[in-house]
Amino acid sequence: MAMKGPGRTGGGFTMSGAATRSNSAQAMPPMLRQIFDPQRDAEGVPYHEQHDPQMYTSEALATREALCEHPAVVDALHRFAQLYRPDADGNVSRLEYARVHVAIVQALMGHHLRSEAQVREAIDEDWASDSAGQPELTPARLSDALFEMADLWCPGLDAEEYVSFLDALADRIAPGLAARRA
């Protein structure tokens, strides 16, 4: 997976202790709690528009590349993917992607996207990138897309931080997704 340039946030924060799905909010390091804070961007550049050049050193790129295969990160990606309703072949349609992605966008950027049109635009941009022009996401492409999201939003280079981020985000959006299924 190629790592992209500007847009990567972070600065090397690492978390002590393991994050677990059942206590993701309590186990979340302070920098990750800040990601979900609605007042996060009250002043200054929005978090999702910041980037840290230190995340593009050859060492950081190698670490980030290795994280996508770390067993704990892979497991967290699989858990997060359970929020989607794939078709019989295990693929995710654009409509299903959008159903979950609306919740993701609202959880991470909701206070910046004031209109439905802005949310749709964010989803369209992400779908174009994540699907690479294909009509659906295979399980591998979905996993790559979810990893890229974690990689873009996590401020450090620690597997526990990626796991904590994915679990905390899933915990935040799952209730709304479940309510929409009923």
Side-chain angles (χ1 to χ4, degrees):
M1 169 184 285
M3 296 295 163
K4 297 182 180 175
R8 173 61 165 96
T9 61
F13 179 84
T14 56
M15 171 181 155
S16 61
T20 62
R21 179 97 176 166
S22 62
N23 69 350
S24 62
Q26 294 83 7
M28 195 183 319
M31 287 301 293
L32 287 182
R33 272 184 280 193
Q34 179 184 351
I35 290 170
F36 297 106
D37 181 352
Q39 300 302 313
R40 173 190 69 211
D41 302 325
E43 298 176 21
V45 177
Y47 183 83
H48 67 278
E49 293 178 6
Q50 299 172 21
H51 70 277
D52 182 351
Q54 293 300 312
M55 291 299 170
Y56 296 97
T57 65
S58 56
E59 183 179 320
L61 290 170
T63 299
R64 291 166 59 199
E65 189 76 28
L67 280 170
C68 71
E69 296 178 8
H70 189 286
V73 173
V74 170
D75 188 49
L77 292 167
H78 286 285
R79 282 193 307 274
F80 198 97
Q82 298 302 308
L83 296 172
Y84 294 84
R85 298 182 300 219
D87 64 17
D89 295 323
N91 298 324
V92 173
S93 70
R94 188 189 187 301
L95 185 62
E96 179 58 16
Y97 174 91
R99 181 186 71 85
V100 177
H101 211 66
V102 164
I104 292 170
V105 167
Q106 289 172 338
L108 295 174
M109 299 170 44
H111 52 287
H112 287 288
L113 304 176
R114 304 256 185 249
S115 72
E116 187 176 319
Q118 289 175 307
V119 172
R120 262 195 319 270
E121 182 180 337
I123 292 168
D124 290 345
E125 288 174 10
D126 289 341
W127 173 259
S129 173
D130 294 343
S131 69
Q134 298 300 309
E136 355 178 79
L137 290 180
T138 63
R141 288 204 64 77
L142 177 62
S143 184
D144 287 347
L146 295 174
F147 177 81
E148 182 178 340
M149 174 186 64
D151 189 54
L152 290 170
W153 283 90
C154 286
L157 297 170
D158 188 80
E160 292 177 49
E161 186 174 284
Y162 280 55
V163 169
S164 181
F165 169 80
L166 289 162
D167 286 345
L169 181 58
D171 288 347
R172 287 178 182 274
I173 69 172
L177 294 173
R180 287 183 222 159
R181 285 184 184 187

